[in-house]
Amino acid sequence: MLRDLLQKDEAHVENGKEKVQSLLATSPDVDLAGIRYSRHDNDLEWLTTVVFSRTSSDAWVGVRVECESQHAAARLPSAKKPVVVRTVLESLGGAADGPLPIRDTAHILTNTDIDLAAKLIRGDAGCRLPIVYVSARFQGGYILDVNRLAADLSGMAHVVVEPNRPFSVRLQLEVDSENVYGGTIGIYWPEGGGRRAFFLGGDYSTPGHLAGAIKDEVRAALLNRRPIARCTWAYVRETASRQAILSLKASGSKAIDEYVEKFDQEIEAKNQRLEEAESEIQRLRNELRVYEARAGTASGGLLRLGRERDLYPNEVLGILLDAIEDAATRVQHDSRRQHVLRSILEANRLEENPLEGRREQLKRLLRGTSTIDGKLRRELEDMGFSISEDGKHFKIVFQGDDRYTFTLSKSGSDWRGGRNAASDIGRLLF
């Protein structure tokens, strides 16, 4: 059945619950090919999109897998790297991403690679994929299997391994102590986007647990990152439509219906890309709020916050004050413990409880609603929610953290649905 896809620039084949679409487009600047594979599996709908884009200077493959639930109550499976990534690398091989080739084995640095390591950590090496930097333990060796990690992250991130502990000491001087060391693994984002450190102990008791956390972090970052524009289905569609219009004009065609159809397809593709750009802008705004909140909240040296950080200003402080206020009502009256708790409350009193305010705001927005219109979307986005509607339900994610993902019906008929959703979301978030 798939042979039918080779007969023309745009085609599709279906078989039961499966469907494959293909789309080819060529312009003077770029050659494009896209494949979409959709499948219904019980209550889940899977969509895999693979786009190949080649210019005179480079070629990229963009891969995206989406899973939507047919029912709001269905639980989505844990995400895994698409098998097609490995297939593409095995079939075509990986070219250079900046100074590093894309491959499924770790990049082992030598003692002369200090300058390269410094550029990778500072984010100015010209790579697009993130860098997973594995430092040497104090006693030598590494805390996990670096080649296995590289195989798991192939096509998603580069795994770079320093040769020894003295290399780490020399590197520290080059990057102002921004490098991880002593066995810690750091994820460094391109263009100086900061780092995230992982080490054994505390939250991660085994190498397997640690490797899983690193893969989850990379996946979450790539999900929230806007893809290369020319590696999207919308771009292939737009290019194909534009070339079809030019061909019709060149042939002197007067077929108005054909013109209208092709123009409509181009406009639809442009609108989709515009929506993607607006979503990216909103995500960056939310991320900026998170960084502002982190910069504005000081622990005073009393507590270590661990892995969690403020998702909005004073969030962690508000949670702690709520817990302390509750605890103060449960201890022995006029006891030393109550005096200490009351003292902390008085010294850290907030003019407005950020948790209660957000609970009430969410209730106000969703009360009596059965779907999300433009005004409600803007107000929810201002609160820090990102909203997508590609499937049969709205999917909302709080502050880009997919641990806090919720679904709302697109055509809810029960006016109490919004109130119930606000109650459920409020309990989990605020």
Side-chain angles (χ1 to χ4, degrees):
M1 295 178 68
L2 294 178
R3 292 193 183 94
D4 295 339
L5 301 178
L6 301 174
Q7 305 305 314
K8 48 189 177 180
D9 290 345
E10 182 173 0
H12 73 273
V13 293
E14 295 185 55
N15 184 20
K17 297 181 178 180
E18 295 178 292
K19 179 179 179 179
V20 178
Q21 299 169 265
S22 66
L23 183 60
L24 300 176
T26 300
S27 73
D29 301 322
V30 63
D31 296 320
L32 302 163
I35 288 284
R36 269 191 163 177
Y37 169 65
S38 58
R39 172 179 175 174
H40 294 275
D41 187 5
N42 296 325
D43 291 332
L44 301 177
E45 181 177 354
W46 294 88
L47 177 63
T48 302
T49 304
V50 183
V51 173
F52 173 80
S53 172
R54 178 177 58 197
T55 68
S56 59
S57 60
D58 64 5
W60 284 92
V61 177
V63 182
R64 185 87 170 185
V65 172
E66 302 169 58
C67 182
E68 292 288 346
S69 168
Q70 304 276 346
H71 304 287
R75 186 175 181 86
L76 296 179
S78 298
K80 298 179 181 178
K81 186 179 74 173
V83 175
V84 69
V85 175
R86 185 179 68 221
T87 304
V88 168
L89 286 176
E90 290 176 349
S91 302
L92 303 179
D97 177 27
L100 300 177
I102 296 175
R103 64 190 194 191
D104 60 0
T105 57
H107 301 271
I108 309 296
L109 300 177
T110 68
N111 285 321
T112 61
D113 288 329
I114 287 288
D115 184 58
L116 171 60
K119 288 182 178 180
L120 294 173
I121 286 174
R122 289 195 298 261
D124 55 10
C127 295
R128 175 172 176 82
L129 300 186
I131 305 298
V132 178
Y133 189 89
V134 182
S135 65
R137 301 169 70 183
F138 292 108
Q139 64 272 39
Y142 310 101
I143 60 177
L144 46 65
D145 185 334
V146 294
N147 281 317
R148 181 174 180 179
L149 181 63
D152 291 339
L153 291 176
S154 59
M156 300 169 65
H158 301 288
V159 175
V160 178
V161 184
E162 67 182 21
N164 47 54
R165 175 66 183 145
F167 183 95
S168 181
V169 176
R170 291 162 53 206
L171 180 61
Q172 182 180 13
L173 300 175
E174 298 292 329
V175 297
D176 296 326
S177 300
E178 282 296 312
N179 60 310
V180 292
Y181 61 91
T184 299
I185 297 174
I187 301 177
Y188 294 87
W189 312 112
E191 300 175 357
R195 78 171 195 194
R196 174 79 188 278
F198 297 82
F199 55 89
L200 274 182
D203 295 323
Y204 311 112
S205 56
T206 67
H209 189 194
L210 180 68
I214 292 170
K215 288 181 281 189
D216 288 344
E217 181 76 9
V218 171
R219 180 185 65 84
L222 295 179
L223 281 174
N224 290 317
R225 187 184 191 188
R226 190 180 181 190
I228 299 174
R230 67 177 221 247
C231 289
T232 62
W233 185 267
Y235 188 87
V236 184
R237 167 63 67 192
E238 179 184 339
T239 303
S241 299
R242 188 186 306 115
Q243 293 304 116
I245 291 169
L246 293 176
S247 297
L248 286 171
K249 288 181 178 179
S251 66
S253 172
K254 303 299 182 180
I256 300 301
D257 290 342
E258 289 186 68
Y259 274 111
V260 171
E261 180 183 357
K262 298 304 179 183
F263 272 118
D264 285 346
Q265 290 178 353
E266 183 174 16
I267 291 172
E268 181 182 355
K270 285 184 178 293
N271 288 339
Q272 184 176 341
R273 292 179 62 197
L274 179 61
E275 289 175 2
E276 292 172 354
E278 290 174 343
S279 297
E280 175 69 3
I281 291 171
Q282 185 59 44
R283 185 189 69 80
L284 292 172
R285 286 175 178 167
N286 293 337
E287 189 171 331
L288 179 60
R289 291 193 188 110
V290 172
Y291 282 118
E292 290 173 344
R294 291 175 182 173
T297 301
S299 65
L302 184 62
L303 294 172
R304 291 185 177 181
L305 297 182
R307 296 175 59 196
E308 301 297 333
R309 293 293 185 269
D310 281 328
L311 294 181
Y312 50 87
N314 290 323
E315 181 204 19
V316 173
L317 179 58
I319 291 173
L320 290 175
L321 292 179
D322 265 6
I324 292 171
E325 187 167 11
D326 179 66
T329 65
R330 300 173 184 272
V331 299
Q332 180 68 37
H333 177 68
D334 211 25
S335 64
R336 172 62 177 163
R337 184 169 296 230
Q338 188 181 65
H339 295 161
V340 170
L341 294 177
R342 291 294 182 190
S343 175
I344 294 174
L345 286 173
E346 290 299 324
N348 295 277
R349 186 69 64 184
L350 295 173
E351 293 183 4
E352 180 180 356
N353 187 318
L355 308 175
E356 183 177 344
R358 285 177 174 264
R359 279 195 297 264
E360 293 305 314
Q361 183 181 6
L362 188 63
K363 289 179 182 178
R364 177 182 60 80
L365 292 178
L366 296 182
R367 184 182 296 119
T369 63
S370 58
T371 188
I372 297 179
D373 57 19
K375 181 174 182 294
L376 179 56
R377 173 190 288 269
R378 289 190 296 272
E379 292 178 320
L380 287 173
E381 288 176 343
D382 287 340
M383 283 191 69
F385 292 96
S386 58
I387 304 168
S388 61
E389 52 178 303
D390 292 334
K392 294 180 171 56
H393 298 85
F394 289 106
K395 182 166 65 176
I396 65 175
V397 181
F398 188 61
Q399 297 292 15
D401 191 330
D402 59 5
R403 293 177 298 174
Y404 312 122
T405 301
F406 311 92
T407 56
L408 294 175
S409 173
K410 279 188 177 181
S411 58
S413 57
D414 186 354
W415 63 270
R416 292 169 298 185
R419 183 185 64 185
N420 294 337
S423 178
D424 293 339
I425 296 172
R427 278 197 301 269
L428 287 172
L429 291 181
F430 313 124

